[in-house]
Amino acid sequence: MPNCRICKDVVHEFFDFGRHPLSQAFLSAEDAAVPGREYRYRLAIGVCESCRMVQLLEEIPRERKFHRGYPYHSSGSTVMHRHFTEIGRRFLGTELSGDDPLLVEIGSNDGVTLRTVAEAGVRQLGFEPTGTGGAGRMHRAFFDAGSAREVRAAEGPADVIYSANTVCDIADIAEVFAGADALLTADGVLVFEDPYWGEIIERTSFDQIYDEHFYFFTASSVATTAARFGFELVDVERLPVHGGQLRYWLARSGRRAPAPAVAEVLAEEEARGLTSAETLKSFAATLLGIGDDLVALLRKLSAEGHSIVGYGATAKSSTVLNYCGIGPDLLPFICDTTPAKHGTVTPGSHIPVREAAAFRSPYPDYALLLAWNHAEEIQANEEEFRAAGGKWILYVPEVRIV
């Protein structure tokens, strides 16, 4: 059995999704047809016997996942654009109110948070190895102890290090804390938000499990990990985005009094047994049922002559499509708003990806909503689909037609 990347104890596997491609490796149909062209790895998940951190069993080299051709842009969603603007404004009113403060963002993507801070005249810098840029100052490097020391030497200490949907991607999490220790002021905070294992269990949202998410945090596992590196969990917030996340506020041990929310969430997690053997066994059994139900529904509708397309060529869609064995025979194409994905095929499943306009000419009878975490926004934008008699297929928390 593998060892935990944090405490080195044994990791017990509780589900194996099989061999999968990289979730954002969208290729042309010609390239995808070349034998061996797609990098594959075993997508399996386990839990550490000691620190109870839920984690993947196989690590993908970070250079394979995050590179100049990385297609995801956070500003593509109105909801997420507003979300990142709000946290930027919040930092400005609290942590960045001192003398010449500095915000550093890990995985700044196209820079919505940085732009908000920069427009207020506050110094900011984003670590973004893909070179996505878009706004704010960017340091094209992975965040670790070495790159953090370089920035400190050039910019001085940071008051806030912020990250969204990135810390969970970094298998060598010791480097994150070493970098934070090197770069933060004595009273600075490390703030990050990532998918919450408690929500994944609650919703059976198994498609949150893919190559980019190496860790699946709970407040308990974050608190335990932070303590190993001289940090303390001082606040925690529930976030509705991306299917349910937690935002963790960490400071150096003893520098800030923990908010009441920390004890409340820790107690709730213990009562729920989020990483107990019984919980994980039940999760795995439910996951198997959802996979069978989804394929059965798609086959039934197809046999009845209904037209079905996919909506949202997301990273998480790679997990559900490849795990369930869904290909062009069941989904002729998937519509997506990301121009870089148009004209490509989905990783592994090789379903053509087309522009959003293809969804409307003509509307299908059914649409499999693969971007279910943006369901409210998408359904509001596609009211004409419903008015035309179209129906959505969802599979979180169970397979159903809306």
Side-chain angles (χ1 to χ4, degrees):
M1 289 183 286
N3 295 108
C4 176
R5 288 301 305 267
I6 297 169
C7 72
K8 311 306 180 186
D9 206 341
V10 171
V11 175
H12 296 279
E13 179 180 323
F14 61 87
F15 203 86
D16 184 352
F17 291 88
R19 304 290 296 181
H20 278 239
L22 299 181
S23 60
Q24 293 281 18
F26 290 84
L27 302 172
S28 67
E30 293 74 21
D31 283 346
V34 176
R37 178 67 174 81
E38 289 184 301
Y39 177 88
R40 296 244 175 191
Y41 71 103
R42 188 169 79 97
L43 179 57
I45 190 168
V47 63
C48 175
E49 186 171 293
S50 293
C51 71
R52 309 307 295 173
M53 179 69 80
V54 178
Q55 57 198 276
L56 296 188
L57 274 65
E58 185 172 330
E59 178 188 353
I60 310 302
R62 61 187 186 180
E63 293 81 6
R64 283 189 173 273
K65 297 185 293 182
F66 307 111
H67 46 76
R68 189 173 288 276
Y70 187 70
Y72 176 74
H73 294 159
S74 56
S75 60
S77 163
T78 301
V79 170
M80 295 312 300
H81 190 283
R82 182 170 61 248
H83 174 80
F84 292 127
T85 300
E86 287 174 352
I87 188 60
R89 289 172 178 167
R90 182 172 169 187
F91 287 143
L92 288 169
T94 55
E95 307 295 335
L96 301 176
S97 59
D99 182 35
D100 194 25
L102 172 65
L103 166 73
V104 168
E105 183 173 3
I106 304 172
S108 55
N109 198 260
D110 54 358
V112 179
T113 306
L114 297 181
R115 182 186 302 113
T116 302
V117 172
E119 289 174 350
V122 172
R123 291 188 304 138
Q124 39 66 44
L125 178 70
F127 280 79
E128 183 46 67
T130 69
T132 303
R137 295 188 301 145
M138 182 181 64
H139 188 49
R140 193 167 187 266
F142 289 100
F143 183 86
D144 53 32
S147 58
R149 283 193 289 266
E150 290 175 2
V151 168
R152 170 126 188 185
E155 304 286 342
D159 299 88
V160 179
I161 297 176
Y162 170 66
S163 182
N165 307 301
T166 300
V167 171
C168 70
D169 302 345
I170 305 172
D172 192 358
I173 203 167
E175 283 292 326
V176 175
F177 285 97
D181 186 49
L183 184 53
L184 281 174
T185 64
D187 291 315
V189 287
L190 169 62
V191 182
F192 62 90
E193 55 196 63
D194 284 297
Y196 180 41
W197 181 246
E199 287 289 348
I200 294 173
I201 287 290
E202 180 73 21
R203 301 169 183 246
T204 319
S205 50
F206 65 92
D207 57 353
Q208 296 272 38
I209 303 168
Y210 54 93
D211 57 316
E212 291 183 12
H213 295 166
F214 188 84
Y215 295 112
F216 299 88
F217 296 133
T218 63
S220 177
S221 64
V222 168
T224 300
T225 300
R228 287 180 170 272
F229 302 102
F231 282 79
E232 183 177 10
L233 180 62
V234 295
D235 204 356
V236 62
E237 301 172 65
R238 301 178 190 275
L239 306 174
V241 298
H242 287 312
Q245 299 191 328
L246 286 191
R247 176 181 290 150
Y248 308 95
W249 295 69
L250 305 174
R252 289 188 172 85
S253 297
R255 302 297 296 199
R256 299 191 182 201
V262 174
E264 292 169 4
V265 174
L266 292 177
E268 177 190 304
E269 290 181 350
E270 184 175 5
R272 291 178 64 189
L274 293 182
T275 60
S276 69
E278 294 79 9
T279 297
L280 300 180
K281 182 178 179 180
S282 176
F283 171 79
T286 305
L287 192 162
L288 288 170
I290 289 176
D292 291 343
D293 291 346
L294 179 58
V295 172
L297 176 61
L298 294 177
R299 286 176 177 167
K300 174 179 178 294
L301 294 175
S302 180
E304 292 173 350
H306 294 292
S307 56
I308 315 168
V309 304
Y311 198 110
T314 60
K316 61 169 56 68
S317 72
S318 179
T319 295
V320 65
L321 295 175
N322 286 283
Y323 168 63
C324 295
I326 298 171
D329 57 324
L330 292 177
L331 286 182
F333 63 90
I334 296 175
C335 298
D336 195 272
T337 58
T338 308
K341 295 179 181 179
H342 299 161
T344 67
V345 295
T346 55
S349 51
H350 299 170
I351 300 172
V353 181
R354 299 175 61 181
E355 66 280 358
F359 184 64
R360 307 178 182 93
S361 55
Y363 283 119
D365 299 325
Y366 294 86
L368 176 61
L369 186 51
L370 296 159
W372 57 264
N373 51 310
H374 296 295
E376 185 175 344
E377 181 179 359
I378 290 171
Q379 290 173 343
N381 290 337
E382 298 293 354
E383 274 296 326
E384 291 185 14
F385 168 61
R386 182 174 298 186
K391 298 178 181 178
W392 296 100
I393 300 171
L394 290 94
Y395 53 91
V396 174
E398 70 277 326
V399 177
R400 63 198 189 282
I401 295 175
V402 178

